[in-house]
Amino acid sequence: MNRLELPENWDWPSIRTELAIRMREVRFDLYGEHGGPLLASALHLPFHRWSDYERGGPIPGDVLLRFLAVTRVEPHWLLTGQGPKYCVSV
């Protein structure tokens, strides 16, 4: 099992920005350029809230877990941008 190397000094603004970029990329992949309202609905969120997250706003843990479940995104890829983007069927 590979261990994730964590930085000693966390750069939270950069982490949020990179996470938002990857979440937006997944939304484009699965719902298209104008699919924000569809994804927000699937996550049981108002669209304006989802839009805040795509702009780098803080994401509550329960929303992040729903995003992982709905999109089948690999958590490691979402965090780091490395490895496979989506979970493969077993």
Side-chain angles (χ1 to χ4, degrees), residues 23-43 50 67 70-71 86:
M23 291 177 80
R24 189 175 321 117
E25 183 178 328
V26 169
R27 193 246 313 151
F28 269 59
D29 286 353
L30 302 179
Y31 293 88
E33 183 178 352
H34 302 290
L38 294 173
L39 178 55
S41 177
L43 297 172
W50 172 253
F67 179 78
V70 165
T71 63
Y86 296 103

Side-chain angles (χ1 to χ4, degrees), residues 23 27 36 39-40 43 46-54 67:
M23 291 177 80
R27 193 246 313 151
L39 178 55
L43 297 172
F47 173 63
H48 76 279
R49 185 78 61 225
W50 172 253
S51 186
D52 290 345
Y53 303 149
E54 280 197 8
F67 179 78

Side-chain angles (χ1 to χ4, degrees), residues 12-83:
W12 288 111
S14 291
I15 290 168
R16 279 195 199 133
T17 298
E18 291 171 13
L19 184 63
I21 289 168
R22 285 189 284 277
M23 291 177 80
R24 189 175 321 117
E25 183 178 328
V26 169
R27 193 246 313 151
F28 269 59
D29 286 353
L30 302 179
Y31 293 88
E33 183 178 352
H34 302 290
L38 294 173
L39 178 55
S41 177
L43 297 172
H44 306 290
L45 297 171
F47 173 63
H48 76 279
R49 185 78 61 225
W50 172 253
S51 186
D52 290 345
Y53 303 149
E54 280 197 8
R55 286 194 303 274
I59 305 162
D62 64 319
V63 172
L64 190 54
L65 290 173
R66 284 196 310 264
F67 179 78
L68 292 169
V70 165
T71 63
R72 304 219 5 103
V73 134
E74 281 285 353
H76 181 78
W77 178 85
L78 188 60
L79 182 61
T80 67
Q82 298 174 358

